[in-house]
Amino acid sequence: MDFSIILSILTGLVALGAAGFFVYSILQEPDGTKKMNEVALAIREGANAYLKRQYSTVAVFVFILFLIIGFAVGWSVAFAFIVGSVLSALAGFIGMSISVRANVKTAQAAEKSLQKALDVSTRGGAVTGITLVGLGLIGVTVFYVLFHNPLVLIGFGFGASLISLFARVGGGIYTKAADVGADLVGKVEKGIPEDDPRNPAVIADNVGDNVGDCAGMAADLFESFVVTIIAAMLLSISVSGVGLAGFQSESMFTTTPLAVASIGVLASIVGTFFFKLKGTKIMSALYKGVIVSTILALIGFFIAFGWTYIFEALIVGLILTLSIFFVTEYYTSKDYSPVQGIARAAKTGAGTNLIQGLAEGMQSVAVPLVLVVLAIIASFEAGGIYGVSLAAVSMLSFPSSHSSPQYLQHYQ
């Protein structure tokens, strides 16, 4: 059996084990005061009710598509579609379940120290990221080994994408509707302060944050991770000269994306232990973990592939990930001019605030767009279209680096 296959299975199991360890450590943290737990319980009940309703509705469409795919394409593809859907939904459920528990524990940890709050929140984000990549690696690898059929892998990815669509869009609509309702009725009409739990719409807003930014984000990341690996494996057909009837047995090109993702996941797990504060700069602590993960991934990539076109394409992906990370902070942090300019514009009225915010938002898209184009060109020069796909896999091989900042922002 190909070493990449063994590595991906072992990495998936290690990821799930690490996620279980983080869950256990979070559950051991104190819950806080009685009032904090009352609010947290209300949010948890609302999030569970929403997710139950959403998944029961989506299950009808999944079953219908399962039958259509089974009769029209094949039952093996339909089975992969079902498994992809279930794992995507599971990733979302785990993400939401840990977030509604880690929220209150992070708030209580903040009473002790900022570092303690950072530890709890980053572990909460890491649980989701590490769990979904563990499930994704095991799922893709098992279906590749069992069937060696591109259509089966496409079915698996299609199932993941379907759940992601419903979870991300549905959760996003819910949270924004609740947010607007809370502000209009609570703040504007009744004069209730921002995020005051006496306003029922605030509870709904926080429920929306969990089902949209946590459950929806988890399903979305699972889908992105899985379909990127599958796309790279499919593109390996053109590189290795294999026909569409099936994958060449143990093709190095086909299993390379699995090895790339596995190395990135292992590096990311180690990186989660380096989110350490020096002062009060939270982003600096996050950068430490990201940089450690990147260095470890580079070492692993070099050991696995040497200085080849594969390694060069992977470097491009890592550089793009770090670049987008820095650009995002620049346009969203209060320490830099874009946000400061919007704040100054707000002093002269809503109109200038809206114009300035819209302008900064448009500018913030330009730089990442240029970076993505340059990365595509560089990775294509290194390894053609296959190199582009490998660069994308290396970008998505750092689950905790992507999800921890998102969850930390939510917990704050």
Side-chain angles (χ1 to χ4, degrees):
M1 184 177 289
D2 194 309
F3 174 75
S4 297
I5 295 175
I6 298 175
L7 177 63
S8 62
I9 292 291
L10 292 178
T11 301
L13 295 175
V14 169
L16 295 179
F21 169 76
F22 286 141
V23 169
Y24 176 79
S25 66
I26 291 173
L27 294 179
Q28 300 308 304
E29 298 291 337
D31 290 327
T33 65
K34 180 180 179 181
K35 184 62 177 179
M36 291 168 63
N37 280 278
E38 289 176 354
V39 175
L41 180 60
I43 295 172
R44 187 187 309 169
E45 290 177 347
N48 288 331
Y50 172 91
L51 212 60
K52 181 180 179 181
R53 177 64 175 174
Q54 183 184 58
Y55 282 175
S56 62
T57 302
V58 174
V60 176
F61 294 95
V62 172
F63 181 71
I64 294 173
L65 288 173
F66 166 75
L67 295 178
I68 294 175
I69 294 172
F71 285 110
V73 182
W75 293 107
S76 59
V77 179
F79 174 67
F81 167 77
I82 283 287
V83 174
S85 301
V86 171
L87 292 183
S88 181
L90 181 61
F93 175 78
I94 292 174
M96 188 211 68
S97 297
I98 192 61
S99 70
V100 295
R101 289 168 173 79
N103 286 339
V104 65
K105 294 177 182 292
T106 299
Q108 177 61 27
E111 295 285 340
K112 182 177 182 180
S113 68
L114 185 59
Q115 178 62 61
K116 187 64 176 178
L118 178 67
D119 290 340
V120 177
S121 61
T122 51
R123 288 202 302 267
V127 167
T128 302
I130 294 173
T131 299
L132 67 90
V133 296
L135 294 174
L137 275 175
I138 293 174
V140 173
T141 306
V142 167
F143 277 104
Y144 167 72
V145 171
L146 291 179
F147 295 98
H148 282 268
N149 187 341
L151 285 177
V152 174
L153 291 182
I154 292 173
F156 183 83
F158 180 44
S161 299
L162 180 68
I163 300 299
S164 171
L165 173 64
F166 279 98
R168 198 75 177 100
V169 175
I173 293 173
Y174 180 95
T175 186
K176 292 309 172 188
D179 192 7
V180 171
D183 289 344
L184 288 178
V185 177
K187 286 171 47 179
V188 178
E189 295 183 11
K190 300 299 182 181
I192 302 176
E194 177 90 17
D195 292 336
D196 193 311
R198 292 175 299 174
N199 181 359
V202 168
I203 302 299
D205 182 19
N206 282 271
V207 169
D209 288 339
N210 283 283
V211 300
D213 295 340
C214 298
M217 177 67 72
D220 192 20
L221 287 174
F222 178 85
E223 179 265 345
S224 299
F225 181 75
V226 165
V227 300
T228 302
I229 294 176
I230 293 174
M233 295 176 73
L234 294 177
L235 283 172
S236 71
I237 296 173
S238 62
V239 176
S240 58
V242 182
L244 288 175
F247 288 121
Q248 178 179 330
S249 179
E250 316 295 44
S251 167
M252 180 195 73
F253 297 104
T254 304
T255 57
T256 291
L258 294 173
V260 171
S262 299
I263 294 171
V265 169
L266 293 174
S268 184
I269 292 173
V270 176
T272 57
F273 295 96
F274 287 85
F275 292 121
K276 299 300 179 182
L277 276 173
K278 186 176 183 181
T280 59
K281 294 289 186 180
I282 294 178
M283 288 305 299
S284 298
L286 295 176
Y287 284 139
K288 291 179 183 178
V290 173
I291 291 173
V292 168
S293 298
T294 302
I295 293 174
L296 292 176
L298 281 173
I299 295 173
F301 291 156
F302 184 76
I303 293 174
F305 307 110
W307 197 282
T308 60
Y309 75 91
I310 293 177
F311 181 68
E312 293 173 356
L314 297 177
I315 291 177
V316 173
L318 295 180
I319 293 175
L320 179 59
T321 300
L322 291 175
S323 300
I324 292 179
F325 207 96
F326 289 122
V327 170
T328 301
E329 185 197 5
Y330 175 76
Y331 280 101
T332 59
S333 173
K334 63 182 180 180
D335 296 329
Y336 300 102
S337 59
V339 174
Q340 293 171 357
I342 296 173
R344 288 192 299 269
K347 296 180 179 179
T348 57
T352 52
N353 184 28
L354 178 62
I355 294 172
Q356 182 71 18
L358 183 63
E360 295 291 356
M362 291 181 175
Q363 291 178 24
S364 69
V365 177
V367 177
L369 178 62
V370 173
L371 291 174
V372 170
V373 171
L374 292 176
I376 291 174
I377 295 173
S379 56
F380 184 83
E381 288 296 322
I385 191 66
Y386 185 62
V388 176
S389 69
L390 291 180
V393 174
S394 70
M395 283 185 62
L396 291 171
S397 60
F398 296 97
S400 62
S401 301
H402 294 314
S403 53
S404 292
Q406 169 74 23
Y407 281 78
L408 177 62
Q409 180 185 25
H410 173 57
Y411 295 150
Q412 288 179 314

